[in-house]
Amino acid sequence: MSFTKLKKLLPITSTTPNPYPSPMQNTLATILSVPSQISFQRTLLEAACVLCDFGFPWEKLGVLYMEKSSIFGKSVEELKLRLCWFKRFGFGNVEVIGICLAFPFVLSEEVDQIQKGVFGIDGLFSDLKLIFLDNSLGSYVEGNVDSWYEVCRKLRMFFDLSGWKGNVGELMGKNKSIFVDHKEDEIVHRVEYLCRFGGKKEEVALLILQCPEVLKLDLEKTVINVLELLKHFGMSSKDLEDVIENFGHVLGTIRMVNLPNVMRAMGLQEWFCDKLKGGHHQLLADYIASDRNEDRDKVYQDGLRRIHISRARVHSINKLNFLHRLGFGENALTMNLLDCLHGTSSELQERFDCLLRSRIEFSKLCMMVRKTPRILNQNYEIIEQKVIFFNQKMGTTLDYLETFPAMLHYHLDDRIIPRYRFHTWLTERGLSYRKYSVQSMITDSEKKFVARVFKIHPAAPKHWFEQFCRRKLPM
């Protein structure tokens, strides 16, 4: 393609704007409209000419420019030499184009290394040769740029996940089905899912390459029994008894998609992640492949049928799904919690996340919800204010809040703050020699609290009502 013909493709001087400009056209239009960049404009167009002559589709040049604009600042000779050098590994023009689009840095000035401590361009192409040619992945790729670009993007994903450390090329070459049978977004979602167990990205990448069967799991439809899965992964009888005794809210059947939070709700995410990393990853696929017919909890199923015929069906199902996302199983306890929770699923999630940000452990927070579900029936700003007051003013620890989550029920301005300030006032004046627990100070009824104050000093109740209390004594 000639320089003149290529330049005409750009609607720079046209007075009528192009309603559907390509990314490259948008970028070049901005650059070429600046008179002070005439020299760079010519270099850019000359580089584009070289790439187009090699076979790069015009509409794909924007991909290169957006990620590595420095490519278009290179000389014609340098680009030609580099493209020819890539072909010496045995790739044709179409293959080289797909590789360059997925790995734009191979055409940029960063030719010695991708980042500190990793192999350079030569190492990358050696791995790609091993994958495409030696292990024949290339024979499964259609002979067009789009197909090669798509497969190379999937390969780059695993290079990025592994941190470009170690030789993963051989594993990728041996597991061609990953890159042929699965779409990119499908792989991304599965990586995110496995990372939720607590594994690092490089560990998850290795796990998928070692056990590609995990990509075939239907997370939404597959139902598993929590106890049976724990047995399948080798949990001891004693530990299983502990799970039954302390974590009844996660038991029963669950959808596969909720398994990571089920493990978090029991505090077993590290144990399960270590099992996966320790060579037991095949157990997960084996368990699903065993075609088990899981028994469903009858009380849960009856409750589910009632929800489906109720007027608030969508609202209730969304709340139920919120509990399942936390790791609560399909059991009677989960169904009974529904009536105690008020608000939409998004509001409940927002409130839960607020408490999670206060550094309460996920498993302990799930236990708090199980024990006192009403803690999620408040606006998240109010929850945040209470937690801050408990921590900074009253000096209570998270352990205390985890033991007695009902503290979050009481009104901050009408009850918690006045009673705490009054108690502090009494203590500072030496009137209270007995140290009361935070729990009793807040949870006592008004009459009981006043009776306690009267025992401290007969005149104290009068001062309480006049200076601290915001409500009158109930009759």
Side-chain angles (χ1 to χ4, degrees), residues 68-128:
K68 290 292 180 182
S69 60
S70 58
I71 293 171
F72 295 85
K74 295 193 173 299
S75 68
V76 170
E77 293 75 17
E78 185 176 357
L79 281 176
K80 286 182 178 180
L81 284 172
R82 191 166 300 185
L83 290 169
C84 290
W85 182 77
F86 295 156
K87 292 178 67 175
R88 73 181 176 89
F89 288 91
F91 296 114
N93 284 33
V94 172
E95 292 93 324
V96 169
I97 292 169
I99 292 169
C100 291
L101 290 173
F103 303 90
F105 51 79
V106 299
L107 288 173
S108 72
E109 65 270 23
E110 301 171 21
V111 294
D112 295 329
Q113 57 181 17
I114 300 167
Q115 57 184 17
K116 186 178 180 181
V118 299
F119 62 85
I121 305 301
D122 190 76
L124 170 62
F125 270 85
S126 295
D127 263 4
L128 293 177

Side-chain angles (χ1 to χ4, degrees), residues 446 450 460-469 471-473:
E446 192 78 357
V450 172
K462 181 175 183 296
H463 191 74
W464 158 251
F465 284 112
E466 289 178 349
Q467 301 296 325
F468 293 92
C469 182
R471 294 176 297 178
K472 293 183 178 180
L473 180 65

Side-chain angles (χ1 to χ4, degrees), residues 412-437:
L412 183 64
D413 294 324
D414 289 346
R415 186 152 187 165
I416 298 173
I417 293 178
R419 289 194 179 187
Y420 175 71
R421 287 179 176 173
F422 183 63
H423 178 77
T424 302
W425 182 85
L426 290 173
T427 304
E428 288 174 349
R429 282 153 183 76
L431 297 176
S432 178
Y433 298 99
R434 179 180 174 185
K435 186 176 181 180
Y436 296 101
S437 69

Side-chain angles (χ1 to χ4, degrees), residues 3 6-7 10 12 27-48 72-73:
F3 179 87
L6 181 61
K7 191 168 182 179
L10 298 174
I12 305 304
T27 306
L28 292 179
T30 302
I31 294 171
L32 295 176
S33 64
V34 182
S36 61
Q37 296 185 355
I38 293 176
S39 141
F40 178 64
Q41 293 168 12
R42 187 165 190 87
T43 304
L44 184 150
L45 286 170
E46 288 174 344
F72 295 85

Side-chain angles (χ1 to χ4, degrees), residues 14-258:
S14 174
T15 56
T16 304
N18 184 353
Y20 305 107
S22 71
M24 188 60 181
Q25 287 174 333
N26 275 330
T27 306
L28 292 179
T30 302
I31 294 171
L32 295 176
S33 64
V34 182
S36 61
Q37 296 185 355
I38 293 176
S39 141
F40 178 64
Q41 293 168 12
R42 187 165 190 87
T43 304
L44 184 150
L45 286 170
E46 288 174 344
C49 280
V50 173
L51 296 173
C52 284
D53 286 339
F54 190 81
F56 280 80
W58 170 253
E59 66 276 7
K60 295 290 187 185
L61 295 185
V63 175
L64 293 175
Y65 192 91
M66 294 305 291
E67 186 161 346
K68 290 292 180 182
S69 60
S70 58
I71 293 171
F72 295 85
K74 295 193 173 299
S75 68
V76 170
E77 293 75 17
E78 185 176 357
L79 281 176
K80 286 182 178 180
L81 284 172
R82 191 166 300 185
L83 290 169
C84 290
W85 182 77
F86 295 156
K87 292 178 67 175
R88 73 181 176 89
F89 288 91
F91 296 114
N93 284 33
V94 172
E95 292 93 324
V96 169
I97 292 169
I99 292 169
C100 291
L101 290 173
F103 303 90
F105 51 79
V106 299
L107 288 173
S108 72
E109 65 270 23
E110 301 171 21
V111 294
D112 295 329
Q113 57 181 17
I114 300 167
Q115 57 184 17
K116 186 178 180 181
V118 299
F119 62 85
I121 305 301
D122 190 76
L124 170 62
F125 270 85
S126 295
D127 263 4
L128 293 177
K129 178 179 179 295
L130 175 67
I131 296 167
F132 283 117
L133 303 180
D134 298 349
N135 285 285
S136 305
L137 176 58
S139 63
Y140 293 86
V141 184
E142 295 181 20
N144 59 69
V145 169
D146 288 335
S147 297
W148 276 88
Y149 178 40
E150 180 183 353
V151 172
C152 287
R153 279 178 59 89
K154 298 174 192 175
L155 293 173
R156 179 175 176 175
M157 184 191 309
F158 281 89
F159 281 117
D160 288 342
L161 287 171
S162 64
W164 297 83
K165 296 175 182 177
N167 186 6
V168 294
E170 186 173 353
L171 274 175
M172 287 193 278
K174 290 180 178 178
N175 293 285
K176 294 183 280 290
S177 63
I178 294 175
F179 309 99
V180 175
D181 300 334
H182 301 280
K183 296 181 179 179
E184 184 179 355
D185 59 348
E186 182 183 347
I187 299 174
V188 170
H189 292 154
R190 196 52 47 93
V191 168
E192 292 172 349
Y193 172 79
L194 292 170
C195 284
R196 287 169 55 201
F197 287 106
K200 297 178 181 178
K201 289 184 177 181
E202 56 265 29
E203 295 169 340
V204 169
L206 187 62
L207 172 62
I208 293 176
L209 291 172
Q210 292 174 336
C211 185
E213 291 85 355
V214 297
L215 291 173
K216 299 178 182 178
L217 300 179
D218 190 330
L219 302 183
E220 291 294 336
K221 293 182 180 179
T222 302
V223 174
I224 60 177
N225 183 287
V226 175
L227 275 182
E228 291 299 321
L229 183 68
L230 294 177
K231 290 179 185 176
H232 188 72
F233 269 77
M235 178 171 280
S236 67
S237 299
K238 183 182 178 188
D239 289 335
L240 285 171
E241 291 175 3
D242 181 68
V243 168
I244 295 172
E245 181 179 355
N246 298 307
F247 301 101
H249 53 291
V250 308
L251 300 183
T253 52
I254 61 164
R255 286 187 301 154
M256 191 75 179
V257 69
N258 294 321

